[in-house]
Amino acid sequence: MTNLKLPQLLPALAARIAEMNALYSAPDTCAAYLLCDSRDADRLAYRVIAADLSVRDLSYGELREESERFAAVLRSLGIGPGDRVATLMGKSRNYLVTLMGIWRLGAVHVPLFTAFAPPAIAYRLLGSGAKLVVCDPGQQPKLAPGEAMPEDAPWQVITTGAAAEGALAFDALMETAEPGLPAAVMGGDAPMIHIYTSGTTGNPKGVVVPIRALGAFHSYAEFGHGLTPDDIFWCAADPGWAYGLYFGVLSTFLTATRSILFEGGFSGEKTMAILAREGVTNFAAAPTVYRSLRSDTIAPPSPLSLRAASSAGEPLTPDVNIWAEQALGVTVHDHYGQTEAGMLINNHHNPLVARPVKAGSMGQALPGWTATILADEEERELGPDEVGRVAMIMPESPLAFFRGYDGDPNKTMGKFSADGRYYLTGDTGRVDADGYFHFSSRDDDVILMAGYRIGPFEVESTMVTHPAVAEAAVIAVPDEVRGEVIEAYVVLNTGHEASPELAKDIQHWVKTRYAAHAYPRAVHFAASLPKTPSGKVQRFLLKQQRLDEIAEAAKA
């Protein structure tokens, strides 16, 4: 058994983590003060860029004054400390003001992704006990009764534009509100965010994030993203999900880094234009953004200023960096984390902990965490290159803040070892002899074929390097002889057509570039892959679809 001790255990780093923990865990901790009021009033917090690329700046002084007004609005509506306030909003200045107003009052933010349908929205509002929803005008119809939305909803609604019947108008409320409301002092154990997991393998589960979790988020901003006071930062992830909220919005406020907020939808051309025009030095996005930029083959209108690029949400396939190093001038660093814990293992940008990027690796543990690989059926730590369960050693992870799912103790039990020593991520992987961790799959996605334990990601990573393949997802299908066999679903690049010959060529590609035993026994061509709104491929839906097809064929 080998538990590789990583750089976060060095005395200087341990002292820095202890400092963060003390700051955000103190009984007199005030979120609004730490995130906003302690900053120079004239310092730029965000450059908000509209869909037409026009710009409106937001300083910390403006953010303080406007969020004080919004906190007063909330209080006038009967909202108090600990109450849940949801946002169903796109990226905007009003969104930033709303968040800071919620935290200034000591209330708890419930993020809702704007692509959600009414049943998903209702699930989260009812589960969290939300008392108020702030929404954009285009989202308000989703809150109307029907489609799982209750007739007599227990929440009030504020709309950031023309308000429909039964809703209140954001601008009108702000005009009559006075600034100056004191920021609530809640302490590090008080709840700050009530967020739901993405539900890749079942119903979403509620995670209540305390203020002290800011220590974990700050560590990632400092060591993972490597943010510096001179950076211009752009996290393109949607803040309706954990990564965009924790490590876009909060990373910005925790480090007072000048940041970009783009209100428009994704466009390769506009992304390149913003990166170049604004002199973005530090960029973070999901792998799908990088793949889209690669597919669009759009050159920036002027040289880029990027010094750091990061990716999270899904494992980063090696093909991205083949493109990025030439097109962006930097290597994209893969990062790994979870809604329940924040970021855990990264290819860090901070020179204090940075190591050379190894293709296909998600890096080393974030300072403040200690990672290991456990055997499948027992809490035994494995040695290099043995595939097992990715876990965090709790006594050696002072930044851990997750204690259990809200109202779901049965599922919480599966997140910790029986003795509480290990936090179990639910993912499988390995750590190599150099201390680099490699993602294999979700526990539910592991393929056991003829005695081999195969992780879908490694097969998929090989498949997407084929010139015809844009995206790939691998599943296990029952087989009488081998137990399970691999089958793949493939989305093709423009200019390529599905054919039996192409399927054979893709199979041969995997055999010769990954492993002869791990090629897909069948290749199914698809127009798209099922994904969560945050971009994670839902392999379990593909598997169920395939099992249904096999069952139907057996009846025929």
Side-chain angles (χ1 to χ4, degrees):
M1 182 277 292
T2 300
N3 176 34
L4 295 159
K5 303 299 182 181
L6 299 171
Q8 75 265 35
L9 300 181
L10 294 172
L13 291 177
R16 179 62 179 139
I17 296 304
E19 181 184 12
M20 290 179 183
N21 252 344
L23 178 64
Y24 299 113
S25 299
D28 60 350
T29 292
C30 172
Y33 175 79
L34 292 171
L35 299 174
C36 177
D37 301 357
S38 60
R39 309 302 182 196
D40 184 334
D42 294 329
R43 183 170 179 81
L44 179 67
Y46 268 96
R47 173 154 287 183
V48 181
I49 302 177
D52 63 2
L53 301 187
S54 60
V55 170
R56 187 182 180 192
D57 288 343
L58 176 66
S59 70
Y60 277 99
E62 292 170 323
L63 179 60
R64 176 173 183 168
E65 190 269 343
E66 292 178 35
S67 65
E68 286 176 348
R69 289 179 182 273
F70 189 70
V73 167
L74 293 176
R75 188 172 66 173
S76 73
L77 296 175
I79 304 299
D83 288 338
R84 270 54 174 172
V85 178
T87 57
L88 186 58
M89 307 170 72
K91 303 171 189 177
S92 67
R93 182 189 181 102
N94 283 343
Y95 174 76
L96 297 172
V97 168
T98 297
L99 292 191
M100 197 60 69
I102 292 169
W103 295 327
R104 183 174 299 282
L105 190 64
V108 181
H109 174 226
V110 181
L112 301 172
F113 184 48
T114 53
F116 280 153
I121 294 169
Y123 181 90
R124 288 159 173 80
L125 292 177
L126 293 168
S128 66
K131 291 189 174 182
L132 188 142
V133 185
V134 186
C135 69
D136 291 333
Q139 297 291 328
Q140 189 171 324
K142 295 179 181 178
L143 299 172
E147 287 194 80
M149 200 65 66
E151 287 285 341
D152 298 316
W155 49 79
Q156 302 176 76
V157 177
I158 296 176
T159 306
T160 59
E165 183 178 356
L168 302 166
F170 185 96
D171 289 345
L173 291 169
M174 289 288 282
E175 285 176 4
T176 60
E178 294 291 334
L181 184 72
V185 176
M186 302 297 294
D189 288 331
M192 181 180 187
I193 298 166
H194 193 146
I195 193 169
Y196 283 77
T197 62
S198 57
T200 55
T201 57
N203 285 332
K205 298 176 283 292
V207 177
V208 178
V209 180
I211 292 174
R212 59 185 166 81
L214 293 175
F217 303 162
H218 195 153
S219 177
Y220 176 65
E222 187 169 312
F223 297 109
H225 280 152
L227 293 178
T228 71
D230 296 328
D231 266 328
I232 297 174
F233 177 52
W234 183 14
C235 178
D238 194 289
W241 291 100
Y243 190 83
L245 177 60
Y246 297 173
F247 308 119
V249 175
L250 284 170
S251 282
T252 294
F253 294 146
L254 287 166
T255 58
T257 305
R258 294 170 295 171
S259 293
I260 301 295
L261 190 75
F262 179 50
E263 296 178 328
F266 174 77
S267 157
E269 185 175 0
K270 290 181 179 179
T271 297
M272 283 298 195
I274 293 169
L275 288 171
R277 187 187 75 181
E278 299 299 330
V280 174
T281 60
N282 202 315
F283 182 62
T288 51
V289 169
Y290 293 105
R291 293 191 190 106
S292 296
L293 289 173
R294 180 194 63 186
S295 299
D296 290 347
T297 62
I298 297 170
S302 58
L304 299 180
S305 303
L306 280 177
R307 68 166 188 85
S310 306
S311 173
E314 272 283 289
L316 187 71
T317 47
D319 58 298
V320 170
N321 271 326
I322 296 173
W323 162 83
E325 288 163 8
Q326 181 175 0
L328 302 179
V330 294
T331 299
V332 181
H333 288 208
D334 195 14
H335 295 171
Y336 166 82
Q338 299 188 321
T339 300
E340 296 93 333
M343 302 311 286
L344 299 169
I345 300 172
N346 314 291
N347 289 288
H348 302 102
H349 285 290
N350 189 310
L352 292 175
V353 290
R355 296 179 68 185
V357 172
K358 183 180 288 190
S361 168
M362 52 191 182
Q364 295 83 39
L366 177 70
W369 294 92
T370 300
T372 192
I373 303 295
L374 296 179
D376 285 343
E377 303 299 333
E378 56 183 320
E379 273 67 66
R380 175 174 57 86
E381 295 181 27
L382 299 178
D385 292 319
E386 294 185 89
V387 176
R389 297 175 292 164
V390 180
M392 301 293 133
I393 304 175
M394 293 295 284
E396 299 175 28
S397 299
L399 292 182
F401 61 85
F402 176 72
R403 295 293 180 267
Y405 294 116
D406 181 60
D408 206 343
N410 290 331
K411 290 185 177 178
T412 296
M413 291 172 60
K415 295 300 291 183
F416 296 96
S417 60
D419 60 2
R421 177 172 173 77
Y422 299 103
Y423 168 77
L424 308 174
T425 64
D427 294 326
T428 63
R430 62 183 174 85
V431 59
D432 65 26
D434 297 321
Y436 287 77
F437 283 81
H438 299 257
F439 178 86
S440 179
S441 69
R442 294 286 306 175
D443 271 351
D444 293 343
D445 292 335
V446 173
I447 300 168
L448 301 173
M449 187 180 74
Y452 292 103
R453 202 171 194 272
I454 302 168
F457 174 65
E458 292 168 304
V459 181
E460 293 163 357
S461 293
T462 303
M463 293 179 70
V464 295
T465 63
H466 188 287
V469 178
E471 291 185 287
V474 165
I475 62 168
V477 174
D479 182 83
E480 290 184 5
V481 177
R482 297 179 181 87
E484 293 180 325
V485 295
I486 297 172
E487 295 194 4
Y489 285 80
V490 169
V491 178
L492 295 177
N493 282 316
T494 303
H496 295 271
E497 294 185 2
S499 69
E501 292 73 24
L502 180 55
K504 290 179 181 178
D505 192 56
I506 292 170
Q507 290 171 322
H508 180 71
W509 187 272
V510 176
K511 287 181 184 178
T512 57
R513 285 166 174 79
Y514 175 53
H517 72 282
Y519 76 94
R521 265 52 180 186
V523 175
H524 309 281
F525 297 102
S528 62
L529 301 178
K531 298 176 183 176
T532 67
S534 61
K536 296 180 180 179
V537 175
Q538 295 176 303
R539 295 187 188 92
F540 74 98
L541 291 180
L542 291 172
K543 184 169 183 175
Q544 187 58 56
Q545 172 188 318
R546 184 66 181 129
L547 292 177
D548 290 344
E549 291 171 354
I550 292 171
E552 286 299 318
K555 295 177 184 177

